[in-house]
Amino acid sequence: AQTVTQSQPEMSVQEAETVTLSCTYDTSENNYYLFWYKQPPSRQMILVIRQEAYKQQNATENRFSVNFQKAAKSFSLKISDSQLGDTAMYFCAFSHNNNDMRFGAGTRLTVKP
Amino acid sequence: GAVVSQHPSWVICKSGTSVKIECRSLDFQATTMFWYRQFPKQSLMLMATSNEGSKATYEQGVEKDKFLINHASLTLSTLTVTSAHPEDSSFYICSASSGAGARNQGDTQYFGPGTRLTVL
């Protein structure tokens, strides 16, 4: 069974600084997808970034980038130039062949002015 | 693109009544839809997975007779909470995916805004 672990329940960062959220996962599959979702106070789940396991290149989306280490089964999210609007819960997630998506417990990120 | 709507956004009902929640993919065909439940300050808990035209697959511990799921078309899935009780009060979220294994985002789930259910 696949499991996703987020070891940081809460984190904070100063506005304009950089923060990294950790995520590790466990799977025996070789092809799969990894995601970071953001859930702001509105509770709408928003896709932040997506990584396909067969791609070695780390995904980037503007200020968001990942450090995907397949051998270590690690998938951290780096947020650069943090903005107040980045304050939210961040969930790391794993998916294989459109089966159910497994979520981590989440990291609550607070961006301080 | 990839917008998923959910209706209603919140509902209050009396104990013993049934409540239907709709989930629609607005700009893509959703081969698979998922229903989650989220308790305050917790992660999402998958309740069931439904494929268009097929019976839903429920996660262990989820009562299929209590949480009825219908996925009648490629753009609509419904969750009916039957004979609701106060312990069913929660935040219910649906998501939709366009297909298995497709390299053009097929495994990505797009989420609806959620429905807050309060059972009195």
Side-chain angles (χ1 to χ4, degrees):
Chain A
Q2 291 87 6
T3 58
V4 179
T5 302
Q6 292 179 252
S7 59
Q8 305 152 315
E10 295 187 16
M11 292 195 71
S12 63
V13 62
Q14 290 296 133
E15 193 175 8
E17 297 292 306
T18 296
V19 65
T20 298
L21 309 183
S22 301
C23 174
T24 58
Y25 59 94
D26 187 27
T27 183
S28 58
E29 303 292 343
N30 189 47
N31 296 316
Y32 48 87
Y33 300 81
L34 296 163
F35 308 84
W36 278 98
Y37 284 90
K38 166 185 177 181
Q39 189 179 40
S42 67
R43 303 191 78 173
Q44 168 76 62
M45 293 285 284
I46 301 167
L47 177 65
V48 175
I49 202 164
R50 175 181 188 268
Q51 175 82 43
E52 292 124 325
Y54 65 86
K55 288 187 177 179
Q56 293 185 343
Q57 186 174 6
N58 289 324
T60 63
E61 286 289 340
N62 301 314
R63 296 183 296 107
F64 300 88
S65 61
V66 298
N67 183 3
F68 173 45
Q69 301 290 327
K70 191 172 183 178
K73 296 180 182 175
S74 171
F75 183 62
S76 61
L77 174 69
K78 185 172 81 172
I79 305 175
S80 304
D81 185 26
S82 297
Q83 300 176 359
L84 296 178
D86 295 334
T87 292
M89 280 289 289
Y90 286 81
F91 292 100
C92 177
F94 170 101
S95 177
H96 168 63
N97 284 347
N98 211 40
N99 290 338
D100 53 278
M101 185 174 285
R102 298 293 174 181
F103 288 89
T107 297
R108 182 174 300 279
L109 176 68
T110 302
V111 180
K112 298 180 179 179
Chain B
V3 178
V4 177
S5 70
Q6 216 172 310
H7 178 81
S9 56
W10 59 270
V11 58
I12 301 173
C13 69
K14 293 182 178 180
S15 185
T17 60
S18 294
V19 174
K20 180 184 284 188
I21 303 170
E22 290 187 350
C23 178
R24 294 181 184 271
S25 57
L26 299 185
D27 52 1
F28 68 101
Q29 292 187 327
T31 305
T32 308
M33 286 186 167
F34 305 83
W35 287 95
Y36 295 87
R37 185 172 179 175
Q38 186 179 32
F39 292 103
K41 298 185 179 181
Q42 293 189 24
S43 188
L44 280 69
M45 182 190 77
L46 179 68
M47 298 175 66
T49 302
S50 72
N51 292 295
E52 184 265 338
S54 303
K55 289 184 177 180
T57 301
Y58 290 80
E59 293 297 297
Q60 190 173 8
V62 178
E63 299 177 58
K64 62 180 181 180
D65 294 329
K66 181 168 187 62
F67 298 100
L68 300 178
I69 292 171
N70 183 277
H71 191 166
S73 75
L74 286 171
T75 59
L76 173 65
S77 177
T78 60
L79 167 68
T80 302
V81 183
T82 62
S83 187
H85 288 90
E87 57 266 29
D88 299 324
S89 298
S90 190
F91 192 67
Y92 292 87
I93 308 176
C94 75
S95 70
S97 176
S98 62
R103 292 196 170 186
N104 60 340
Q105 313 291 316
D107 266 67
T108 301
Q109 291 184 26
Y110 298 95
F111 287 82
T115 297
R116 182 179 300 282
L117 170 63
T118 302
V119 184
L120 302 177

